[in-house]
Amino acid sequence: MIEAIFLLVLGLIWLVFASVQDLKHKEVANWLSFSLIIFSLGFRFFWSLFNGGFAFFYQGLIGLAIFLVIGNLFYYSRLFAGGDAKLMIALGAVLGFSEDFFINLKIYFLFLIIFLFAGAFYGLAWSFFLAFKNYKNFKKEFSRQLTKNKKMVFGVMILSLIVIASGFFHELLFYFGVLVFITPYLYIYAKAVDEACMIKKVKTKELVEGDWLYKDVKIGRKLIKTKWEGLSKEEIKILRKSKKDILIRHGIAFVPVFLIAFIVLILVWFLG
């Protein structure tokens, strides 16, 4: 039990630091994720060495391998930025609190479920905050997106009404129809928040590796394209020589979701 408590405290401390860094700088330093892996596996190794048997250490390696797959899956699905993916991978070395593989699988599954629900509510709350904070721009952009996508909205509306009417035959169809009806409005809302609240003009001297360009930038014969990996150091050097200001797409500071999910996991698994 002592070993599990140590990993809990270790994970909490690192996640608090990572959350603060993400909220302040919109990035998580690689050293935080890598050091969490080193400290977690190092503790597991020496605990196993002095307490007989290496099952506890092996479970850390297995957790790391499982979350390596999950982190990369989220990253290449473009759900995570690089720093988020690395932090998710690092947590794999922490979350295997037991020496029993199947118990750890339940912990991993529970954490991911909590994480997904926390992420959905957190993202929605942040979007409401941003829309309220930038209400005039958001209102204008929402109207523009609605006009731009009116054919799609009208088509989906007709389809949803047909499905809703089919609810007389089966109740499930009614609820599905309602979901179809609101989907285009959720899409337009998300686009409006993105365009009105997430695009900022910054000075090129403030750019950091991984920043996302809002649109492609042509400098002489060279075209710097928008990409999921963000700007490279070389591209930033080129921009600083030729541009004073640049439009950057900011993301939501998402690392606090890791902290929230970790705390909820502790409450559900250990105190529930």
Side-chain angles (χ1 to χ4, degrees):
M1 189 62 181
I2 296 176
E3 65 275 22
I5 293 173
F6 180 88
L7 289 174
L8 286 175
V9 173
L10 185 69
L12 277 174
I13 292 172
W14 255 251
L15 287 175
V16 167
F17 274 105
S19 297
V20 171
Q21 188 178 67
D22 196 28
L23 288 168
K24 288 180 67 176
H25 305 292
K26 297 296 188 293
E27 64 173 341
V28 179
N30 289 336
W31 68 264
L32 270 171
S33 299
F34 295 148
S35 61
L36 181 57
I37 295 173
I38 292 169
F39 276 99
S40 299
L41 293 182
F43 169 74
R44 287 175 179 277
F45 177 80
F46 285 107
W47 178 270
S48 299
L49 184 65
F50 291 107
N51 287 276
F54 278 82
F56 189 61
F57 175 66
Y58 295 147
Q59 290 305 317
L61 292 177
I62 292 171
L64 182 65
I66 291 173
F67 276 73
L68 178 65
V69 174
I70 294 171
N72 277 283
L73 181 64
F74 283 174
Y75 176 74
Y76 287 108
S77 299
R78 300 195 171 185
L79 297 173
F80 273 5
D84 299 328
K86 290 169 187 172
L87 190 60
M88 176 66 84
I89 293 167
L91 281 177
V94 177
L95 289 172
F97 301 122
S98 172
E99 294 185 2
D100 188 309
F101 172 69
F102 293 102
I103 291 177
N104 287 334
L105 274 183
K106 293 179 182 178
I107 296 173
Y108 302 151
F109 181 75
L110 180 60
F111 174 78
L112 290 173
I113 292 297
I114 295 171
F115 179 83
L116 292 174
F117 275 99
F121 284 109
Y122 177 87
L124 195 60
W126 254 109
S127 72
F128 287 152
F129 169 75
L130 291 172
F132 179 77
K133 183 180 178 182
N134 304 274
Y135 180 71
K136 288 184 178 180
N137 291 337
F138 168 76
K139 183 180 178 181
K140 182 179 179 181
E141 183 62 30
F142 186 88
S143 179
R144 191 182 76 84
Q145 290 291 336
L146 193 60
T147 302
K148 179 181 176 181
N149 296 280
K150 62 182 179 181
K151 290 183 179 179
M152 181 267 289
V153 173
F154 182 74
V156 174
M157 184 184 298
I158 296 300
L159 175 62
S160 65
L161 290 175
I162 294 172
V163 177
I164 289 172
S166 302
F168 287 107
F169 302 101
H170 197 291
E171 184 182 1
L172 187 61
L173 289 172
F174 173 81
Y175 294 113
F176 181 70
V178 173
L179 179 62
V180 172
F181 182 85
I182 65 174
T183 296
Y185 293 99
L186 290 174
Y187 168 77
I188 290 171
Y189 168 78
K191 284 289 291 181
V193 170
D194 183 46
E195 294 291 331
C197 309
M198 308 300 289
I199 311 302
K200 304 293 181 183
K201 181 182 285 188
V202 301
K203 296 185 181 301
T204 52
K205 65 180 181 180
E206 298 173 354
L207 292 173
V208 296
E209 187 177 8
D211 276 343
W212 293 325
L213 282 177
Y214 173 56
K215 57 184 177 180
D216 296 346
V217 176
K218 191 171 184 179
I219 299 176
R221 296 182 179 180
K222 185 172 181 61
L223 181 66
I224 300 178
K225 295 185 176 182
T226 59
K227 55 183 184 294
W228 182 247
E229 295 79 10
L231 290 169
S232 66
K233 291 181 180 179
E234 186 62 35
E235 289 171 335
I236 291 174
K237 289 180 181 178
I238 295 171
L239 288 169
R240 285 176 177 169
K241 290 178 181 178
S242 306
K243 297 280 186 180
K244 290 184 178 180
D245 301 305
I246 200 80
L247 288 175
I248 291 296
R249 185 188 301 277
H250 286 288
I252 293 174
F254 201 70
V255 172
V257 176
F258 289 82
L259 178 60
I260 293 168
F262 196 78
I263 292 172
V264 174
L265 175 70
I266 295 172
L267 295 175
V268 172
W269 187 264
F270 291 95
L271 303 179

